[in-house]
């Protein structure tokens, strides 16, 4: 499982945008959680953390591996 810190989310639409971005990355089996309150995302699968971060950043948010 990959845990990412996501900065810049402030509403439910942000959570949906990050979730959709992560679901579009090759190797993602499941987006376990994108938490507005915690400012993090948990992803299962074989996707590279850098690819996950890039997908989130393309949506306008800052992200890094936890």
């Amino acid at each position: 499982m990959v845990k990412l810190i996501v900065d810049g989310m402030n509403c439910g639409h942000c959570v949906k945008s990050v979730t959709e971005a992560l679901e579009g990355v090759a190797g993602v089996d499941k987006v376990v959680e994108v938490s507005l309150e915690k400012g993090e995302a948990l992803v299962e699968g074989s996707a590279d953390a850098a690819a996950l971060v890039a997908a989130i950043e393309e949506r306008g948010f800052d992200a890094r591996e936890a």
Side-chain angles (χ1 to χ4, degrees), residues 3-33:
K3 181 177 179 179
L4 303 166
I5 303 300
V6 183
D7 295 320
M9 294 189 298
N10 55 28
C11 67
H13 293 291
C14 296
V15 171
K16 183 177 179 182
S17 181
V18 169
T19 301
E20 290 173 350
L22 292 170
E23 289 172 341
V25 176
V28 171
D29 293 333
K30 180 180 180 183
V31 177
V32 177
E33 178 184 30

Side-chain angles (χ1 to χ4, degrees), residues 40-64:
E40 66 183 31
L42 299 174
V43 180
E44 289 181 351
S46 62
D48 180 66
L52 297 170
V53 167
I56 293 170
E57 289 179 342
E58 285 178 13
R59 296 286 180 116
F61 303 96
D62 292 322
R64 63 189 180 281

